[in-house]
Amino acid sequence: MPTVFFDRELCRLREVLAQMGGEVERMLDTSLAALRAGDSELADKAIAMDRGINDLENRIINKTILLIATNQPVAGDLRFLAASLRMAGELERIGDLSANLARRAKALAEVAPQMSLPDDIDDLAAMARHMLGLALNAFADRNLAKAREVLELDDGVDDLNRQVRRRMVEEIADDGPRIHWGLEIINTAAHLERLGDHATNLAEEVIYIYSGHNVRHCGPSEAGPSIGADAALTGGPHQDREDMED
């Protein structure tokens, strides 16, 4: 049986994961605001936030390894700890991509300060941000339905990225002086598409924690409602004794 101390440490780990998710959301929001406004100072503020996210990842890694080494967890507790390591890595990578988006904001403000972002970039940014929020809410709420929704949105982000790339290639061909601007927009779209991928990975870890079903490298159709069948039996840390919202 898990000790009171172990239970408390699992709760603290969950809190640090939630804290890291919140910091990543704030960093991404700052980067996107800088991108939309062409604000280099705001972009620098976003880039500076990356250090704190890296520190939180290290805290999670150290705490998780210590808990595994000293408590020999099994079942849902072990699954939660293993997934926590992967989730921290995904969040750290989203932080890196947010910093890259801030750098794109600075570059765009320098090469074409008079030009606004294309509408499809704004749509792509909104969708990627929505996916991240859904994945983190799914973790906080123990909600499989929200996690599955993230998986279903991933193809839309991929399609928008391809749409941006095609359109930028056409515009660059017709207007040589805008090559640098067009390349920065293409890179921005690629960062947002990758961000969506990492949000999807987070959602897959949420599904793993609370259902015991590994849907990594599976399509959305393979992560359907059937995975929730044993959620109440095998949910995350101590969720064996709680009902899972679905």
Side-chain angles (χ1 to χ4, degrees):
M1 292 291 291
T3 66
V4 173
F5 172 79
F6 182 56
D7 289 352
R8 187 168 59 246
E9 289 302 300
L10 287 179
C11 288
R12 287 176 177 170
L13 176 60
R14 184 183 176 86
E15 289 169 359
V16 178
L17 266 174
Q19 179 186 354
M20 186 177 183
E23 290 298 319
V24 168
E25 285 187 302
R26 282 187 282 276
M27 182 179 179
L28 177 58
D29 287 342
T30 304
S31 294
L32 293 179
L35 192 62
R36 291 176 177 125
D39 189 331
S40 292
E41 289 186 9
L42 196 57
D44 285 333
K45 181 179 177 182
I47 292 168
M49 296 169 73
D50 194 38
R51 176 67 178 271
I53 289 170
N54 293 341
D55 289 344
L56 284 169
E57 182 195 22
N58 287 334
R59 279 183 61 191
I60 290 167
I61 290 172
N62 293 338
K63 180 178 281 292
T64 301
I65 291 174
L66 181 62
L67 287 173
I68 292 173
T70 57
N71 292 276
Q72 298 181 332
V74 296
D77 294 337
L78 180 59
R79 191 164 63 241
F80 170 70
L81 290 169
S84 294
L85 289 172
R86 293 195 294 263
M87 288 181 70
E90 298 294 344
L91 287 168
E92 189 277 335
R93 188 65 188 117
I94 291 173
D96 288 345
L97 288 167
S98 297
N100 289 343
L101 286 169
R103 294 184 183 99
R104 298 287 75 72
K106 293 182 68 172
L108 286 165
E110 181 178 343
V111 302
Q114 76 285 359
M115 297 188 67
S116 58
L117 286 177
D119 289 342
D120 39 14
I121 281 287
D122 215 24
D123 292 341
L124 183 53
M127 185 176 291
R129 176 63 179 86
H130 177 59
M131 290 173 70
L132 174 60
L134 266 181
L136 292 174
N137 286 339
F139 173 66
D141 299 340
R142 301 181 172 93
N143 191 311
L144 289 175
K146 289 180 180 179
R148 287 195 294 267
E149 186 178 347
V150 177
L151 273 59
E152 292 164 359
L153 289 170
D154 191 42
D155 285 344
V157 169
D158 294 343
D159 290 342
L160 271 174
N161 179 40
R162 286 189 289 267
Q163 176 181 310
V164 170
R165 183 169 300 189
R166 283 194 302 268
R167 193 163 69 79
M168 285 300 103
V169 169
E170 291 172 359
E171 290 195 18
I172 289 172
D174 294 337
D175 189 353
R178 293 209 297 175
I179 287 177
H180 196 170
W181 175 81
L183 290 176
E184 291 295 345
I185 292 295
I186 288 171
N187 286 333
T188 298
H191 295 329
L192 290 167
E193 188 271 335
R194 286 298 296 146
L195 198 152
D197 288 342
H198 288 290
T200 299
N201 293 345
L202 281 174
E204 290 171 349
E205 296 303 334
V206 172
I207 291 170
Y208 176 66
I209 289 171
Y210 296 126
S211 76
H213 191 90
N214 188 349
V215 297
R216 297 172 73 193
H217 314 301
C218 297
S221 62
E222 297 173 86
S226 62
I227 68 168
D230 47 288
L233 179 64
T234 61
H238 307 306
Q239 291 310 301
D240 298 0
R241 303 185 293 277
E242 298 178 15
D243 289 333
M244 170 70 195
E245 179 181 354
D246 193 4

